[in-house]
Amino acid sequence: MISLKPNLLVRYADLAGLLYKYGRSDLAKAANLPQVLRDQGETFSTEEESNVTPEAFARDLETRGPTFVKLGQLLSTRSDLLPEPYLKALSRLQDQVEPVPFEHIEQTVSQELGIRLSRGFASFETTPLAAASLGQVHRATMRDGRDVVVKVQRPHVRQRVAEDLEALTELAEFLHEHTSFGKSMGLADIVATLHDTIFAELDYRLEADNARRLRENLSEFELFRVPQIVDDYVSSRVITMEYISGVKITDVSPSVLLELDCEFLAKEIFRAYLHQVLVDGVFHSDPHPGNLLLTGDHRIALMDFGMVTRVAPRLQQRLLKLLMAISDGLGEEAARIAMQIGRPEQDFEEQKFIASIASLVAEHQDKSVEQLQAGPIIMSIQRAAGKHGLRAPHELTMLGKTLLNLDEVVETLSPQFDPNTELRSCAADLLQKQTRKRISLTSAYHSLIEATEFAQELPSRANRFAELLANNEFTVRVDAVDDRRLLAGMQKIANRITTGLVLAALIIGASLLMRTESTWLFATGTAFFLFAAISGVILVWRALYSDESQPSSKS
């Protein structure tokens, strides 16, 4: 039942309007949203718009606030739910909004850091560098002269997000329970993922941890820069980090690109992200062009660490195998690995899925980056999985989105860059790093503890084993066929066959005696015939109803 809390009615109206406008009025009616809103005196427009386009859908989400913007960004990874034009429109979704008045920013920073702006910073610009629906960024200077940026959360945004998520959760759970679309598409799981993602982004301490982790993990890539966090100036609603000046890679002028070794830059970006996903298990999952800057010294600066995805070690191995199978054109192998990664539903069509992936990989084998892009292929695999009943994990969808954004960056730098060749060349190195990471000092200590426990218990176990042997009490249990029961069964079969032959002979002999003219021989033949007939009936009855069933062998 949909909740009738007053603070949720406006959200229900927004949701009902979106569903009606973009062709899912059946879902709005299934959840009884129109009647609920009318009963509460709320209204919403159900008129069909002529401008029902992917770009209009993205704009409608933007106007509804931060939760819907994040929902759109999450939906941009779900190629199994939306067609390609909608995915592209949502992947470019940016939540640029009017900035918060500076007095609110000053108040938040002072409350969170426990100091006045004039004491904590040498200077603090009142005009923001950027303003989004969750927070805005200001440039400042520390007392020691360091240039920094300070991201400050907007006032009351947590309450707004919590109310939006409550309405979305109510609706998603209702549709999951009462519609086949809601259940098959996993709407409840989508909203649960959105909940975890957006509340993680609202805690800037987690973002600071992500930045520190990525800075450490990418230290071996000299062309990458990750801003340093100012630890003493971080709270749940404020984060301060090093200021890095740069230009979005897609906005770099052609004259500057001529001065760069663009192919090497593209290779380094590709290798760095493969390293994050397949070795570190923590990757920056929002590398759109606005978050990758080309600095003045021709290095790549990574920005915005609110969206980071973690990958378990076993999934890392399977993702490497999947990428290698795709690059080598092994469609059926790629399909089998995808099945290991995903979770089959009850209606999973295995053979159709394998055929679909094999055809997809064959179409794109040995093509350049202008024709072959890793992101769209992963998204196509996800689309085929959804179509044939295989639920892909969130990590795979985020990998697809990450590669989709990287494709745009790499193509800007070097359109002829071949990701297949690069993946093959670094596969051995990636595998070696994976193995080296698993054989870490911690895992070695764990193995040493287990070996110590085994060595401590070994003498007592050996003494027990020797004692059993000395007392002739050592037994070995073998779960095999019971030979005595088998021989008894074979004997019964032989007896049945012999009895059947004797009875058949009696019937034939009796029939011959009954054809003679002698009364005595006729009576003898009749007796033999009756005896054979009664015996045959008894034999058949015992075979059908009286035999003891054999116990099944243990597995």
Side-chain angles (χ1 to χ4, degrees), residues 423-462:
L423 180 60
R424 294 189 192 103
S425 66
C426 65
D429 181 56
L430 290 170
L431 184 59
Q432 183 181 15
K433 289 179 178 178
Q434 277 187 353
T435 305
R436 190 184 306 131
K437 184 181 178 182
R438 288 196 297 272
I439 309 176
S440 62
L441 187 60
T442 302
S443 62
Y445 277 136
H446 181 71
S447 300
L448 181 60
I449 291 172
E450 290 187 343
T452 303
E453 291 177 353
F454 175 77
Q456 289 174 346
E457 295 178 4
L458 183 59
S460 61
R461 292 178 178 176

Side-chain angles (χ1 to χ4, degrees), residues 196-209:
D196 295 342
T197 300
I198 197 168
F199 272 103
E201 289 193 46
L202 284 171
D203 190 345
Y204 290 168
R205 293 169 299 186
L206 296 178
E207 181 173 348
D209 290 339

Side-chain angles (χ1 to χ4, degrees), residues 69 200 225 248 252 302 366 387 421 440 500 509 516-517 526 553:
V69 169
R225 288 191 63 186
K248 288 197 303 184
V252 177
L302 201 59
D366 297 329
K387 179 180 179 181
T421 301
S440 62
T516 62
E517 296 179 357
T526 303
S553 61

